[in-house]
Amino acid sequence: MSRLDSFIRRLQAQRACLNRAAELVRRVDGAVLELGLGNGRTYDHLRELFPDRNIYVCERQVAAHPDCVPPADRLLLGDLRETLPQARSWLEGRVALAHLDVGTGDAAGNKALAAELLPLVMPLLCAGAVLASDPVMDCPELAELPLPDGVAEGRYHLYRRV
Amino acid sequence: MSRLDSFIRRLQAQRACLNRAAELVRRVDGAVLELGLGNGRTYDHLRELFPDRNIYVCERQVAAHPDCVPPADRLLLGDLRETLPQARSWLEGRVALAHLDVGTGDAAGNKALAAELLPLVMPLLCAGAVLASDPVMDCPELAELPLPDGVAEGRYHLYRRV
């Protein structure tokens, strides 16, 4: 499998998981939290999936396509390790779906980042919230959900906050 | 269709066209020319498709994954408008497949670049060579070929040098 094949599979897995997550939170009231804007493609997909929800986006420095930049009042600009604790005052227990796409090939680095972010994200999730993530999220309050058909085990992860 | 959907379709179209191009040049002797290395994903795919051919890659400045950097003797480093004319002395009529992925959303800019590169690429192509390109290539010596199933008209282009 070439890197082109592998990249296409990764994007398809991501899309399938986001689409599934949208179904899973259909009856869970709350905002959407995108951890990292990047080029804005995933944010654009979330906008399509959730036209009626507030989508908050964390990003260190915006470098997305101009059409994919969130409104200023929904953009949490800065390091996640600072913006997520700050957001707790107004977003605690109000997020129905959080999405983390680290997206690097550095497995050890991804795992370390996931472990660091998890305690910052958990307080924001409401009961029944879904967390979609490319790295594993290891937490007793998160129950792993089955992946959509065609998504290889471990390529992406879906969790429900119990 | 979100930008994520559109990006996935674009990559699938690219892969389908490269796979088709590989079939089309099976009986055409010659090198492969990749116009732009980028992150190296397409180069990696070409390496899989053409394990026994020389693949020359033009790139202004290498920024690919370390596993996807061509050997120094097959890397034409610099501006295409300089490296392609230089390559003519040793590569004229010796390329069986050339691939150009401009990959920007700027249609007018892509068209202008394609028009500029076309006269530099044409002399390198052997008779029967295939040119795969995301922008249109307008040249009487190029016959447009049908696209693989599932690739929308205009998303990619396949030409045979007549």
Side-chain angles (χ1 to χ4, degrees):
Chain A
M1 182 162 40
S2 72
R3 281 180 181 270
L4 179 61
D5 292 321
S6 165
F7 187 54
I8 291 172
R9 284 208 195 184
R10 193 180 168 283
L11 292 170
Q12 287 173 321
Q14 179 178 65
R15 176 174 61 179
C17 287
L18 292 178
N19 293 353
R20 169 66 61 86
E23 291 166 26
L24 291 167
V25 300
R26 195 172 290 156
R27 284 173 198 84
V28 182
D29 230 31
V32 174
L33 179 64
E34 169 78 318
L35 299 160
L37 176 63
N39 50 48
R41 278 185 213 116
T42 314
Y43 170 64
D44 192 46
H45 198 72
L46 289 171
R47 278 196 299 202
E48 282 205 4
L49 290 173
F50 300 99
D52 303 322
R53 301 208 194 200
N54 281 330
I55 306 177
Y56 298 99
V57 180
C58 301
E59 179 59 74
R60 197 189 297 260
Q61 199 176 354
V62 172
H65 189 280
D67 290 349
C68 299
V69 176
D73 64 340
R74 269 157 276 170
L75 183 60
L76 288 67
L77 208 57
D79 191 299
L80 284 168
R81 284 157 286 207
E82 292 173 13
T83 53
L84 287 177
Q86 284 160 13
R88 196 164 165 178
S89 65
W90 53 276
L91 202 56
E92 182 158 8
R94 292 188 50 222
V95 170
L97 170 64
H99 173 233
L100 170 65
D101 170 26
V102 179
T104 77
D106 170 14
N110 293 354
K111 202 176 158 183
L113 180 64
E116 199 172 7
L117 295 183
L118 190 56
L120 308 180
V121 172
M122 286 304 291
L124 307 181
L125 301 180
C126 64
V130 166
L131 173 61
S133 145
D134 61 342
V136 171
M137 289 290 194
D138 194 10
C139 173
E141 288 168 88
L142 290 176
E144 187 146 16
L145 300 171
L147 294 168
D149 285 347
V151 178
E153 214 56 48
R155 198 173 271 274
Y156 233 80
H157 302 275
L158 284 171
Y159 301 96
R160 174 86 81 175
R161 172 163 199 163
V162 291
Chain B
M1 181 160 42
S2 71
R3 281 181 181 271
L4 180 61
D5 292 321
S6 164
F7 187 53
I8 291 171
R9 284 207 196 183
R10 194 181 167 283
L11 292 170
Q12 287 174 322
Q14 179 177 64
R15 178 175 58 181
C17 287
L18 292 177
N19 293 352
R20 168 67 59 89
E23 290 165 28
L24 290 166
V25 300
R26 194 170 293 156
R27 284 177 198 82
V28 182
D29 228 32
V32 174
L33 178 65
E34 169 76 319
L35 299 160
L37 177 63
N39 50 49
R41 277 186 212 114
T42 313
Y43 170 63
D44 192 46
H45 199 73
L46 289 170
R47 277 196 300 202
E48 282 205 4
L49 290 174
F50 299 99
D52 303 322
R53 300 208 194 200
N54 281 330
I55 306 177
Y56 297 98
V57 180
C58 299
E59 177 60 73
R60 196 187 299 259
Q61 198 175 356
V62 172
H65 189 283
D67 291 348
C68 299
V69 176
D73 63 339
R74 270 156 274 169
L75 183 59
L76 287 66
L77 207 57
D79 190 301
L80 284 167
R81 284 158 285 208
E82 292 173 14
T83 54
L84 287 178
Q86 284 160 13
R88 197 163 163 178
S89 64
W90 52 277
L91 202 57
E92 181 157 9
R94 292 190 48 221
V95 169
L97 171 64
H99 173 235
L100 170 65
D101 171 26
V102 179
T104 78
D106 170 15
N110 293 354
K111 201 176 158 183
L113 180 63
E116 200 173 5
L117 294 183
L118 190 57
L120 308 181
V121 172
M122 286 304 292
L124 306 182
L125 301 180
C126 64
V130 167
L131 172 62
S133 146
D134 60 343
V136 171
M137 290 290 194
D138 194 10
C139 173
E141 287 168 271
L142 290 176
E144 187 145 18
L145 300 171
L147 294 169
D149 285 348
V151 178
E153 213 55 48
R155 196 173 272 276
Y156 234 81
H157 302 275
L158 284 171
Y159 302 95
R160 175 86 79 177
R161 173 163 199 163
V162 290

